[in-house]
Amino acid sequence: MLLTPTFRRMPCRSGLDWVTANPLPYVTSPYTCFRRSAARNRTLPTDAVIRLLDDQDSGVRTTMATHAPHLVDPTTAERIDRGFPPDKKTAWRPADLLTLPPQTLRRLGSDPDPRMRCLAPRDPDLPVETAEQLATDPDSTVRRAVAGHPRLPVHVRRALLADPDEHVAGAAAAAALPFADMDRLLTLAGV
């Protein structure tokens, strides 16, 4: 019977400090935990950073990107975020730290993956047409992401106030609305 080494099964949430302190021997380790710990080192040479940014494990890629964001180009940033498995415990994602240029964000507005479409409203100069399109997206998380965008026309924001998803309506209500709309909402709420 072949036994799996302990390190292959071992969780590595916080890292192994002794690997992080001397990371180079572990950059190519067959053990994910060692590679993740190596990726925590902020002084790795560029070739090691590039290797870890291209690792097969999403956790290694994400760890490396968060410890060397200045070395992550937009294409790599998009690839890392796209491959990041969402965590139900937190809304954090690599794109919260990595820079995606406006042209990438605009392109993501029509991406087949709703998680990626949610990034488009991060462009402060998002074209109005794209914002309107995202406001009618079939996925509520996309509508919620765009509900507070400053370039979203008031009539579209008003429509989002009546969205069947309470999170979308709440995001629209939290955005700046004309006084008459705010007054109407407060009256409806009995305030």
Side-chain angles (χ1 to χ4, degrees):
M1 172 189 217
L2 183 63
L3 297 176
T4 304
T6 305
F7 291 120
R8 194 174 299 275
R9 292 176 282 138
M10 184 173 74
C12 192
R13 297 281 183 223
S14 62
L16 302 169
D17 291 338
W18 55 274
V19 173
T20 304
N22 182 28
L24 290 179
Y26 306 99
V27 168
T28 59
S29 172
Y31 306 111
T32 303
C33 186
F34 287 179
R35 296 192 314 276
R36 285 186 185 189
S37 297
R40 292 175 57 222
N41 185 294
R42 295 181 186 274
T43 62
L44 283 168
T46 304
D47 61 326
V49 170
I50 291 169
R51 181 182 188 100
L52 292 171
L53 287 173
D54 198 36
D55 195 271
Q56 65 185 4
D57 180 71
S58 175
V60 173
R61 294 189 304 266
T62 302
T63 301
M64 189 70 263
T66 59
H67 286 82
H70 60 288
L71 295 176
V72 181
D73 63 82
T75 302
T76 303
E78 180 182 344
R79 180 177 49 79
I80 288 171
D81 192 81
R82 192 177 291 278
F84 182 75
D87 184 353
K88 293 184 181 193
K89 296 177 188 170
T90 178
W92 186 89
R93 60 190 295 172
D96 293 341
L97 176 69
L98 305 173
T99 302
L100 293 169
Q103 63 270 22
T104 299
L105 294 172
R106 290 175 191 165
R107 178 178 48 76
L108 291 174
S110 61
D111 195 90
D113 183 353
R115 280 187 68 249
M116 300 311 285
R117 290 195 303 275
C118 284
L119 294 175
R122 294 180 181 205
D123 174 9
D125 297 319
L126 188 69
V128 173
E129 303 79 29
T130 306
E132 288 178 326
Q133 176 186 349
L134 294 171
T136 61
D137 196 276
D139 190 285
S140 64
T141 59
V142 176
R143 296 192 309 275
R144 181 180 183 187
V146 78
H149 198 280
R151 299 206 54 193
L152 195 63
V154 174
H155 73 278
V156 177
R157 194 177 323 267
R158 282 184 188 130
L160 290 174
L161 288 171
D163 195 278
D165 185 296
E166 66 184 41
H167 298 293
V168 175
L177 289 169
F179 179 76
D181 290 313
M182 289 189 284
D183 187 50
R184 182 178 59 80
L185 289 173
L186 290 172
T187 301
L188 289 171
V191 179

